[in-house]
Amino acid sequence: MPDIFNFTPEMETYFSTLPVYVQENIKQSNQKINSLEDLRAVSEKLMERK
């Protein structure tokens, strides 16, 4: 599970703008998210699937 408690302020802001289903998928994933770029890449892939 990504450590959403260690997100930077920019990552938190971006995360909060994502649809709820994307946020939940990210929370439940085993994705390694260490940067805003990682977060964007993961969220974009999840939104492409919908």
Side-chain angles (χ1 to χ4, degrees), residues 21-37:
Y21 80 92
V22 175
Q23 291 180 20
E24 287 302 316
N25 276 292
I26 289 171
K27 287 179 189 176
Q28 295 174 15
S29 75
N30 289 324
Q31 296 286 332
K32 213 165 184 178
I33 299 175
N34 297 316
S35 67
L36 182 57
E37 292 76 24

Side-chain angles (χ1 to χ4, degrees), residues 3-50:
D3 191 354
I4 61 171
F5 299 109
N6 286 324
F7 278 4
T8 65
E10 293 83 12
M11 292 169 74
E12 288 177 21
T13 299
Y14 179 77
F15 185 80
S16 70
T17 67
L18 295 171
V20 173
Y21 80 92
V22 175
Q23 291 180 20
E24 287 302 316
N25 276 292
I26 289 171
K27 287 179 189 176
Q28 295 174 15
S29 75
N30 289 324
Q31 296 286 332
K32 213 165 184 178
I33 299 175
N34 297 316
S35 67
L36 182 57
E37 292 76 24
D38 292 346
L39 181 57
R40 282 191 174 139
V42 169
S43 62
E44 286 171 10
K45 280 191 179 204
L46 287 168
M47 287 189 279
E48 284 174 4
R49 292 186 203 165
K50 187 87 171 154

